[in-house]
Amino acid sequence: MSRTPIIAANWKMNMGPKEAREFLASLKSELCGDCKAVDKVVVPPFITIPTVMEVLDGCDCLGVGAQDVSDRDSGAFTGEISTTMLNEIGCKYVVLGHSERRQYHGETSAYVNKKVKKALAAGIIPIYCIGETLEQRESGQLETILKAQIVEGLADLTPAQAATVVVAYEPVWAIGTGVTASSADAQSAHAFIRSVLAEGFGQEAADAIRIQYGGSVNPGNAVELMGQADIDGALVGGAALVAASFAAIIKASI
Ligand code: 13P
């Protein structure tokens, strides 16, 4: 089954509006015609999103995502951003359940599930992040952890809804460390994730779901990772802060 690769730049708490303008100007000069075969997404901090939209000026060459969204509709929830607001500004994606939100903000898969359902109800594609810590991997809990994160985080979805979700497998020990999973380890985790998705939603939906790899992806390791059968793209942090290296990763997935 052919799945369109999806490469997303998670800028995390980097890139204010001024830097984003500079990044987008450089990215434009780096991308080529063949890059059309890849879904490309930038995920800026909320405050930078309007500037990105202004620069794109309606061009759908680059998708825009948010780094989080509230599980509530509106009202007295200080600091939160709703799906309605993301829709109003034109965000097509939202990263949910990133390990940094699980670690620093106490988000559980059950809580993230509410956000996944909110996003889907609003027509926004969730990029649902999962991944094990080094301790969990070394104590043989890899599959138990990944399965629980999938079952709890994607609970109550119909197969048709699940088919639209992007899953990002980001081993926590590979994030920001310069240590990537080997392509064989990554492929084996991705194949396992797809098998769990097939158990929950059927083979057809599982075959349609794009599973990104994340964790120290860079232009040097991207070709081998993207060449694996069940790796359908990347969620990139550090290397996506430089337009030339983000573009190189995009080209590696063609
Ligand atoms: P790095 O690419 O910096 O390891 O970050 C990965 C990540 O967390 C993307 O969401």
Side-chain angles (χ1 to χ4, degrees):
M1 152 123 209
S2 78
R3 293 175 286 268
T4 305
I6 176 166
I7 307 289
N10 177 8
W11 285 345
K12 308 191 181 185
M13 200 170 72
N14 299 290
M15 291 273 197
K18 184 171 171 290
E19 277 178 291
R21 265 184 213 284
E22 290 162 8
F23 176 98
L24 293 170
S26 313
L27 184 66
K28 202 173 167 189
S29 65
E30 297 278 350
L31 294 180
C32 57
D34 291 346
C35 298
K36 289 201 179 81
V38 181
D39 286 346
K40 303 162 289 294
V41 180
V42 289
V43 186
F46 287 122
I47 203 165
T48 302
I49 294 174
T51 301
V52 172
M53 294 302 184
E54 183 201 310
V55 173
L56 290 178
D57 193 23
C59 175
D60 63 1
C61 44
L62 200 58
V64 181
Q67 295 179 16
D68 191 24
V69 77
S70 176
D71 63 319
R72 317 288 182 121
D73 286 326
S74 65
F77 302 103
T78 302
E80 295 283 77
I81 297 284
S82 70
T83 50
T84 309
M85 295 170 188
L86 294 188
N87 267 332
E88 186 176 337
I89 196 115
C91 273
K92 293 211 171 69
Y93 301 87
V94 63
V95 170
L96 295 174
H98 192 280
S99 72
E100 287 146 18
R101 295 213 59 88
R102 292 178 190 262
Q103 183 180 350
Y104 304 124
H105 300 273
E107 296 197 11
T108 62
S109 296
Y111 175 54
V112 177
N113 177 246
K114 295 185 191 181
K115 300 184 182 204
V116 168
K117 289 190 275 194
K118 240 330 163 229
L120 287 169
I124 299 168
I125 298 172
I127 299 179
Y128 176 59
C129 304
I130 60 173
E132 81 289 359
T133 62
L134 190 58
E135 196 188 353
Q136 289 164 340
R137 174 174 274 259
E138 288 181 341
S139 60
Q141 296 178 74
L142 172 67
E143 296 194 346
T144 315
I145 294 292
L146 295 183
K147 184 166 185 174
Q149 290 174 333
I150 295 166
V151 169
E152 290 166 29
L154 301 182
D156 309 324
L157 270 53
T158 64
Q161 285 178 316
T164 67
V165 170
V166 175
V167 174
Y169 169 58
E170 299 202 301
V172 178
W173 47 270
I175 295 178
T177 58
V179 180
T180 339
S182 68
S183 52
D185 280 350
Q187 165 56 27
S188 133
H190 280 232
F192 173 73
I193 291 164
R194 203 175 302 285
S195 75
V196 175
L197 293 167
E199 268 172 45
F201 304 107
Q203 195 62 49
E204 196 182 328
D207 283 341
I209 295 172
R210 293 179 294 177
I211 308 176
Q212 295 176 310
Y213 171 79
S216 297
V217 175
N218 62 46
N221 58 31
V223 174
E224 197 180 329
L225 284 163
M226 297 308 126
Q228 305 302 310
D230 287 289
I231 300 185
D232 309 311
L235 184 56
V236 190
L241 295 173
V242 177
S245 62
F246 183 51
I249 295 167
I250 290 167
K251 288 173 189 167
S253 72
I254 298 172

